[in-house]
Structures are given as C-alpha cells and as structure tokens.
Amino acid sequence: MTDRYAVIGNPIAHSKSPAIHAAFARQTGQDIHYQALLAPQDKFIDTVHQFQTDGGKGMNVTVPFKEDAWRLATQLTKRAQLAKAVNTLQFGIHDILGDNTDGAGLVRDLQDRLGFSLSGKTILLMGAGGAARGVLQPLLAQHPARLTLVNRTLARAEVLKHQFIAHGEIITCDYNALTDSYQLVINATASSLHGELPPLPETLFAPGALAYDMMYAKVPTPFLHFATTHGASHIADGVGMLVEQAAESFALWRGIRPDTAPVIKLLKSC
Ligand code: NDP
C-alpha cells in the first residue's frame, strides 16, 4: 500500500516540498504519496491527528507551526530539543517523533554542495526567529572562528545566545553595531519575504565571502542583490537548503538517502 506523507503549513500552496519528495520517490523507487495540507491557524493539532488517523506516516511542518509541532511530538531528537522547533514528524503506533532537519540541510548545502568549509570561518547569522534557532547548533558544531548573531530586536538574539551557550560562543548585536567583515553572511530573517533589506554596512563582506539567503526566489533577493554590489564573491539562495532538509526527512522516514543534486537542478530550472 502507498505510504502517505504531507507538508502542513499556512499558507501552503506555494510549497515546493511535494515536487521535491515526488522526485526523491521516483529516484529511489519508494512507493509514497506526498501532498500539501493547509491547516487553519487554530487547527494544527486537529489537522495532524486527522492525517494520522487517515493512515499518514509522517509530515513536514512549515510556517507558522514549527513550535506547535515541537509541543505536539511525544519524542524529540536531540537537535529538535535544542531548536525548540520541529519540521519533521514521524508517526509511530503510540508516539510521534519530532525532528528538525533545517540545520543539517543548511550545513550540507554549504559544505557539500557549495564547497564552503565552516571550520575556522567568521560567520554572521542575521535573524533570531525559528530558522536561526534551527541552524545555530549545527553551525557551532562545525567550529567556526567566530559566530555573530545580529537581530533587529536585540533581546531575541540575547535569548538565543543564552539558550545555546553550552554549544559555543555567540556574539550578539543589533544592526547599528555591525562594523566587522565576515567570510559567511547568512540571511535567516524574513526581510526578503517582504522585499526588504536590513540596514547593512558596506564593509560587511570579507574578501572571498559567501552571502547566503535562506529565502529563494526567481530573481535575486534584496540581500543577494546587496551582496553582489558590495563585494561578496559568491551568493546562494535557500533552494539547496530546502532540498537538503527534505532529503534528511526522507532518509528518516524511508531509511534511504536520495541524491539531492538532480533535484536542486530540477527546482532551479522551473
Ligand atoms: P520568523 O518569523 O520566525 O523570524 C523572522 C526573523 O526575521 C526575526 O528575527 C525578525 O526580526 C527578522 N525580520 C523580519 N523582517 C525583518 C526586516 N525587515 N529587517 C530585519 N529583520 C527582519 O521566520 P523564520 O525564522 O521561520 O524564517 C526566516 C526566513 O528563513 C524566511 O524567509 C523563510 O522562508 C526562510 N527559511 C528557509 C528555509 C529553507 O529550507 N530554505 C527553512 C526555514 C526558513 P525581529 O526579531 O526583530 O522581529
């Protein structure tokens, strides 16, 4: 019987996850059906339980439900515990396992696909929302020389600094205090979603720097446009991260890791 999976969010129509998982299933010969599921803002738990009752095996979770999924899971992987956010659910007979594959997806995209080794590098992470929380520990685990966390609301960055203190040093600041240059600048804010750009200094990018925007779009985001015109040597959007985090979920569910390169190529061509 075909196993059912879904991505749940609100809104969800734009999601590329069904196309990604369909490509993974074709490639690996797995018999699965994967759909996009819109949950009303106040009906996340009901929608998950209904999908589970109907025979669903697992779900990806996206905005705005990652924290609800973290609370719903009855078991958490270590990385989901740390992130306090869940983007992958796996349904057992008596339990719901929650995982967070965002950080692993980002690190894999940076190091394996883009060939950017994180060890010994100076990193600026912009944003202190769910996406930043999911990637902090996986970034620190690669032993960067320095990790700075900048956020519009400084207090939110401070909370993350204290939450992750056992995993490495995090320097926090607001945009006015940004004076250094960095070898890697990651935009984990929602600014690009609104066509906005945080106030960044012209000296932000060190020689050879990579600018990475977690958001993806057909045209370069305001952040990637700024990077191109202010000295970044390389730019990348979040398509690679999206496909890599999906592959990590697929591997958890199906016990087989798909080849991500052709799927990233496919998404970039549509
Ligand atoms: P949240 O809503 O949890 O966090 C938003 C963050 O963006 C906050 O730190 C907020 O600052 C900041 N922000 C919003 N607007 C601006 C602005 N104009 N200037 C400066 N800072 C701003 O969102 P998420 O963390 O869940 O998502 C962030 C981004 O990451 C989204 O674009 C999302 O699509 C992307 N993403 C991509 C993934 C991928 O696989 N490629 C996976 C997960 C996320 P403040 O605290 O001051 O409000």
Side-chain angles (χ1 to χ4, degrees), residues 4 19 48 68 91 102 109 122-123 138 149 166 189 192 216 256 258:
R4 293 181 57 202
V48 172
D68 299 279
F91 305 129
D102 282 339
D109 192 36
T122 53
I123 302 178
L149 183 62
T189 74
S192 292
Y216 40 89
I256 181 167

Side-chain angles (χ1 to χ4, degrees), residues 1 51 63 72 137 143 149 171 195 202 206 218 225 234 240 270:
M1 214 169 84
F51 184 71
V63 176
L72 176 69
Q137 188 274 331
H143 307 292
L149 183 62
I171 300 159
E202 302 202 339
K218 284 227 168 295
H225 179 70
H234 311 279
C270 335

Side-chain angles (χ1 to χ4, degrees), residues 63 66 102 127-132 151-153 156 175 188-191 193-194 196 198 214-216 238 241-242 245:
V63 176
K66 289 185 186 181
D102 282 339
N151 197 45
R152 193 172 55 178
T153 312
R156 289 186 80 190
Y175 288 97
T189 74
S191 61
L193 281 175
H194 315 299
E196 295 167 358
M214 285 194 190
M215 176 158 152
Y216 40 89
M241 174 180 175
L242 179 74
Q245 61 79 26

